[in-house]
Each structure stands twice: as structure tokens, then as C-alpha cells.
Amino acid sequence: MGRRALVEQKLTRYEKLKRDTRDFLELLEVAAEENDEALLQDLAEQTEQLEQSLREAELRQLLSGPQDSADAIVSINPGAGGIDAQDWAEMLMRMYLRWCERRGFKTEVIDLQPADDAGIKDASFTVQGLYAYGFLRAENGVHRLIRISPFDANARRHTGFAAVFVVPNLDDDAGDIEIKPEDLKVDTFRSSGAGGQHVNKTESAVRLTHLPSGIVVTCRAERSQHKNRSTAMKILRGRLFEKERLEREAQFQQSYGGGKMAIDFGSQVRTYTLAPYTLVKDERTEHKTGNVNAVLDGDLDGFIEAYLKWRPRTN
């Protein structure tokens, strides 16, 4: 039923685009024959909307992977850079939540550990919406921030790194991912930070270690150990799917390195420079913009589109 709904949506979108284009061309012919300036002006205004619809349809054609239409799970972890990296991780989280809001996607924070001084130690959230994973997988990798640090009394320039992991939110029977009980090491522990006495006094947090791959997933957001384990299993299943995908593309060692990503110099997929000039540049596609504030406020479509067009040439 899910596949059928997806195909029906594609057909509906295609038929609407074809109909709108046909009507536009017919009106354009009439306006040209009658030299109707008012109608020509209206059609000129419609051109941008029609081009946007065509651009969106072309992008969706690039999302042909088996799980591209799935929901996504996004995890963010600070790397090298100390407090600046922790603050940067929180800025990235806000950026992605704003992008999801613009897209009309639903989000839910499933794990969040605030840092002691500023920012976050790690965070995970789900994104629910058609092609959420297909779009957001463009963000997989290390993101680098260069700015005048607000935490430096001497106002010096600092660099912070944070890793973004995007995986599909898979059902238990989706794909070919099999997780054997004997391949899992399960640890439970008490959560720390906000959450009340129940969170702090019971071992509700869960850490899963997948022994064959070395991938470690932690979830501590829920009061229930059962719910945390279920969420952690979803994240682990998604990461194993992503691991297999990257292996097929001969990029696993480069991007994940045995389940762990180097979150420091030379490993970034995108650089955000706030000083001495303003520029956001994707190191893979060479796409860049000087409007850093717009990007940090969730304007990521240009980078995602560039990645989707670049990706087929790397496979």
C-alpha cells in the first residue's frame, strides 16, 4: 500500500505538471496572437512558479534509492573544537529543524544531552515526511564552522567541527538488515541532566554496541528503558543500512571509518565561514553562497539540490 501511494502521488504530480504546462503554452499562444499585454504579464509571473514545479519534479527523479522516500533519523555529535564545537552542534540542530519546518516535515527529538557550558554533547531527532531521508542524506558528514568565538575573551577566530549522521527510519522488516541478538552488547545506565527524579534514579538509558561493525548507539530521552531500546534499535538498523550503502559506493572507510567518523581537520564535507568573510561552501559539489545567515536559518535547498545532481556522477 505504501508503494502504491507513492506511485499514485508521482503520477498525480506528473499529470498536474503536464496539464499546467499545456495550459500555459495555450494561453501564451493566445496572448501572442492578440498582443494582450495584461495576459502576457500574468504569464510572466506564472513562469517562475512553473519552473519551480519542474525543478522539484526533476529533483524527485534523482531520489530513486530503495529507501529515499523513507522518514529519517538525524544524529549530531560535536567533534574537535571544545565549547565551540558543542555550540556548533546545537546550531546545526536548529538549522535542520528550521529546514524541516520550511518543508512541512514533522520532527521529534528522541535524544538530547546538553553540554555543561554551552551547546550539546549529542542529539538525535526523527524527521517524518516524504523523501525526508532522500533529501537529508546530502547532509551526512562532518560540518566545519570558522568564526570569532563568543567564548574567547580575546575575540580570536576558532574552528569547531560537528558530525551529522542521517539514516532512514526503517521498519523492523524493511530492507535486508538483520541484527542477531548475539551480535549485540546492551548496556543500561542512569540518564543525567534534566528529566526529573525518575530519569536520574532509574537505569532507563540504553547503549547498544553492534559487535561486528563496532557501531555504538545511545538513547536516553524516554523515561522507559523499553522505549529507549526500541528507538536505539531503529537508529542502529538505519546506520547498518547506511553502512552497507556506503560500502556499495566504496565510500564506507572514507565516511564512517569502521563506524566512527573523524570529526576534525580535513574530514569536512561543508565549511561555514563567518569571519573574516562570510561563505558556506560544500567541499564535494563546490556549491557555495555568501548568505550564511539564511543557510543557518534552514535555507539548505541549494546545497541539497547540488548534492543530488552531483551524486550520480560519483556512483
Side-chain angles (χ1 to χ4, degrees), residues 6 15 17 28 52 80 88 100-101 110 143-144 147 151 178 193 235 240 256 263 279 283 288 310 313:
L6 183 61
E15 291 295 338
L17 184 59
L28 183 62
Q52 179 61 33
W88 173 223
C100 292
E101 183 182 341
I110 56 176
H143 295 247
R144 177 189 184 192
R147 66 172 178 178
F151 309 105
E178 181 184 4
I235 298 174
L240 288 172
Y256 275 76
I263 317 175
L279 181 71
E283 311 296 342
K288 55 189 175 182
W310 165 84
R313 296 197 294 271

Side-chain angles (χ1 to χ4, degrees), residues 1-290:
M1 292 300 294
R3 287 174 62 95
R4 175 177 175 174
L6 183 61
V7 171
E8 287 179 344
Q9 186 182 68
K10 287 182 178 180
L11 287 173
T12 300
R13 187 168 53 247
Y14 168 74
E15 291 295 338
K16 182 179 185 305
L17 184 59
K18 185 170 69 172
R19 183 173 61 252
D20 290 347
T21 303
R22 183 181 63 243
D23 293 345
F24 178 87
L25 292 174
E26 289 176 356
L27 286 172
L28 183 62
E29 185 176 347
V30 170
E33 290 177 354
E34 299 180 1
N35 197 25
D36 189 333
E37 292 292 337
L39 181 56
L40 284 171
Q41 181 63 35
D42 289 341
L43 291 173
E45 295 175 358
Q46 293 179 28
T47 301
E48 184 176 348
Q49 182 178 354
L50 190 60
E51 286 180 342
Q52 179 61 33
S53 297
L54 180 59
R55 177 182 171 189
E56 187 78 16
E58 289 176 337
L59 279 182
R60 291 181 184 270
Q61 283 295 103
L62 298 174
L63 298 172
S64 57
Q67 302 297 338
D68 278 350
S69 62
D71 296 340
I73 302 174
V74 181
S75 300
I76 303 174
N77 306 104
I83 298 178
D84 281 282
Q86 295 172 353
D87 188 51
W88 173 223
E90 187 173 39
M91 291 169 64
L92 283 174
M93 181 177 176
R94 177 188 178 277
M95 180 180 77
Y96 292 125
L97 292 176
R98 291 286 290 121
W99 179 84
C100 292
E101 183 182 341
R102 288 167 175 245
R103 278 267 168 183
F105 290 167
K106 295 181 180 179
T107 58
E108 180 183 1
V109 177
I110 56 176
D111 193 21
L112 179 63
Q113 187 175 17
D116 296 332
D117 300 311
I120 57 177
K121 291 183 179 180
D122 58 64
S124 296
F125 58 93
T126 60
V127 182
Q128 182 181 353
L130 189 60
Y131 294 107
Y133 169 67
F135 285 122
L136 283 169
R137 59 181 276 199
E139 301 303 301
N140 251 327
V142 175
H143 295 247
R144 177 189 184 192
L145 174 70
I146 303 172
R147 66 172 178 178
I148 302 298
S149 173
F151 309 105
D152 188 331
N154 296 317
R156 290 172 296 189
R157 223 169 19 138
H158 285 244
T159 300
F161 295 85
V164 177
F165 297 89
V166 181
V167 300
N169 192 352
L170 302 175
D171 295 328
D172 293 345
D173 58 350
D176 300 321
I177 304 301
E178 181 184 4
I179 303 176
K180 300 178 181 179
E182 59 267 27
D183 289 341
L184 277 183
K185 178 186 177 184
V186 182
D187 297 305
T188 59
F189 56 96
R190 296 179 184 178
S191 297
S192 60
Q197 292 183 353
H198 178 85
V199 171
N200 294 325
K201 291 186 178 181
T202 63
E203 294 190 344
S204 58
V206 174
R207 180 187 298 110
L208 300 181
T209 304
H210 186 251
L211 300 176
S213 66
I215 294 175
V216 180
V217 174
T218 301
C219 188
R220 60 177 69 81
E222 300 288 345
R223 293 163 59 94
S224 163
Q225 183 184 119
H226 175 74
K227 289 183 178 180
N228 281 330
R229 175 164 179 156
S230 176
T231 301
M233 284 294 290
K234 278 183 172 290
I235 298 174
L236 176 60
R237 189 176 295 109
R239 288 201 181 178
L240 288 172
F241 173 87
E242 190 71 5
K243 172 182 177 293
E244 289 190 3
R245 181 186 70 80
L246 290 174
E247 284 177 336
R248 288 194 299 269
E249 297 177 358
Q251 294 180 355
F252 175 66
Q253 287 300 327
Q254 173 185 334
S255 300
Y256 275 76
K260 295 183 179 179
M261 183 185 296
I263 317 175
D264 53 20
F265 288 93
S267 60
Q268 67 272 8
V269 297
R270 191 177 301 152
T271 299
Y272 306 69
T273 304
L274 276 64
Y277 53 88
T278 57
L279 181 71
V280 182
K281 179 183 177 182
D282 195 289
E283 311 296 342
R284 302 161 297 182
T285 66
E286 300 295 322
H287 182 78
K288 55 189 175 182
T289 177

